[in-house]
Amino acid sequence: MSEGRSALIVEGEYLVGLHIQTILEAYGFTDATIVPGIREAKALLRGETAFDLAVVEIALDRPDTIDFARALRDAKTPLIGTTTDLRAHSGIAGLDSVPILPKPIPEESLADAVSAMFLPPDTP
């Protein structure tokens, strides 16, 4: 499904980032880079590094996380949001098409979101 693809994981808690990385690697991502915040993610992207998927921690009280997620979406980078904010579990204004997964992230939820993005549309 995702063989040879790369992912950017923006996650403030390193152990949570490792959990996400492990799940993505189990589903065929060969390069999953973890960064602790938006500043580090932007630095990577300024270096012209491209990713096939971004998993970004989003907090409603941190507008920079929402702005960064919107910029990725606008750049056509497949995006999955994660959050501990119960208000965001049903979606975030301006990110309507982005799946928002509650933390802690069940493996099945992340796998389903990735599958939906990378399986051909006619795949059952």
Side-chain angles (χ1 to χ4, degrees):
M1 157 178 65
S2 306
E3 274 314 304
R5 295 185 190 264
S6 63
L8 171 63
I9 303 165
V10 183
E11 173 56 56
E13 297 291 329
Y14 189 70
L15 290 178
V16 174
L18 282 175
H19 173 69
I20 295 168
Q21 181 184 51
T22 300
I23 294 169
L24 293 177
E25 288 175 349
Y27 285 89
F29 281 81
T30 55
D31 179 27
T33 302
I34 304 168
V35 295
I38 302 302
R39 181 181 45 198
E40 295 85 357
K42 286 180 177 179
L44 270 178
L45 295 172
R46 270 193 300 273
E48 307 220 9
T49 301
F51 294 94
D52 299 302
L53 172 69
V55 180
V56 178
E57 179 181 27
I58 298 173
L60 294 179
D61 62 346
R62 299 236 358 254
D64 62 326
T65 64
I66 297 169
D67 292 343
F68 181 70
R70 285 183 183 136
L72 287 171
R73 186 217 41 218
D74 293 348
K76 307 290 187 231
T77 300
L79 173 65
I80 297 171
T82 67
T83 189
T84 57
D85 193 323
L86 295 175
R87 299 169 297 158
H89 289 183
S90 59
I92 297 172
L95 292 173
D96 302 328
S97 62
V98 175
I100 306 296
L101 304 179
K103 292 195 243 175
I105 304 165
E107 179 177 344
E108 309 80 42
S109 297
L110 182 55
D112 289 347
V114 170
S115 292
M117 291 179 178
F118 291 102
L119 286 179
D122 59 343
T123 303

